[in-house]
Amino acid sequence: MITRCTHARWTAVVATTAACLLLPAAASAQDPAKPTPVRAAYVPVATWLPAWVALDKGIFARHGLAVTLTPIQNLSLLPGTVGRQFEFAASTPPDLIKAVAGGLDVVASAGEAIELKSNPTTQVIVRKDSGIKSVADLKGKVIAAPTLGAVIHVATLHWLKQNGVDPASIRGVEVPFPNMGDQLKAGNVDAVEALEPFAGALLAAGNVSLGDPLLAAGDEVLFPFWISDGAWARANRPVIKAWIDALTEAETDMKANPGDARAILAKYSHLPPDVVARVPLPTYRFTIKPDELGVWIDVLKGLGQLSAAIDKSKIVVTAP
């Protein structure tokens, strides 16, 4: 029979033992917290390499994230998927801004890459024998774009306008990056909006660059980044911070282990080894600020592609 005194001592022992189990101790391993499931969509180009490195090297896991990555070909379709299919999705300024203007609660949650004069990734390219020597010479020409409503073509139209060319004077046609060289060589288009590594291959074949249209928007331009559902982002800023911290660590690892990074690039991009070895990487930056999107709001308004009022401060929800 257990007496009241014995019961009291037993209760104290149990309480003390339980308390000790809750405290971190060198002598006993602590069960790791359950990782947060995160689904993300990307396009299989070098822009998104830090996420691939973070997944393959266990960096996401170290930051408490159980990440699933899904390749997608068309960025313009992704704003409507966040909050349902994905927590993070690849995007560009026009895609996000137009989605918000259309009534979607979508926000920029993390940066990814910026365009710099010192490290351009995009070129408008013409044949060497085309007779086209400058942006002004593109008036009335046919220009191949990966997507007519996407960031590179929007930048090209802005670039044309800056150089006195009516954007309505050119005809844009959609051509996938891998097919642009053939279309240019055949004379079906007069110029192409090429992204690395395709731009480098076109230039190596003897074609000529007129310049980087993205830099018409500024000397340091927000290019691709990550978006999320607005309600999810506002409720999950710590997850966004973990995402950014993991990408930042992945970039550090890429610099320390370039061979590993190139191998992972080959795995996810399916590019040939010789292309992977020389493809230039973009300039990565994982923070993001409202003013960087404000630039693109002005560009779209200047082209007559945006009539709705967009508050730039409300379309960025990022790490605290």
Side-chain angles (χ1 to χ4, degrees), residues 115-116 119-123 194-196 199 212 214 223 280-283:
E115 194 79 351
L116 298 175
N119 187 26
T121 64
T122 304
Q123 307 283 338
L195 179 71
E196 292 291 357
D212 185 342
L214 290 166
F223 192 15
L281 300 181
T283 301

Side-chain angles (χ1 to χ4, degrees), residues 79-103:
T81 67
V82 290
R84 294 194 295 273
Q85 292 174 258
F86 304 107
E87 280 68 53
F88 294 98
S91 193
T92 67
D95 291 317
L96 170 64
I97 293 165
K98 291 176 182 179
V100 172

Side-chain angles (χ1 to χ4, degrees), residues 123-126 132-135 137-138 159 191 208-212:
Q123 307 283 338
V124 170
I125 295 174
V126 299
I132 300 172
K133 304 297 183 184
S134 68
V135 183
D137 294 333
L138 291 173
W159 192 37
V208 177
S209 171
L210 298 180
D212 185 342

Side-chain angles (χ1 to χ4, degrees), residues 196-197 200-201 204 262-263 265-266 269-280:
E196 292 291 357
R262 296 282 172 174
L265 174 60
S269 69
H270 305 294
L271 292 169
D274 60 324
V275 175
V276 169
R278 64 177 186 270
V279 60

Side-chain angles (χ1 to χ4, degrees), residues 248-259:
T248 302
E249 183 179 333
E251 186 190 13
T252 300
D253 187 277
M254 289 161 54
K255 292 175 179 177
N257 303 286

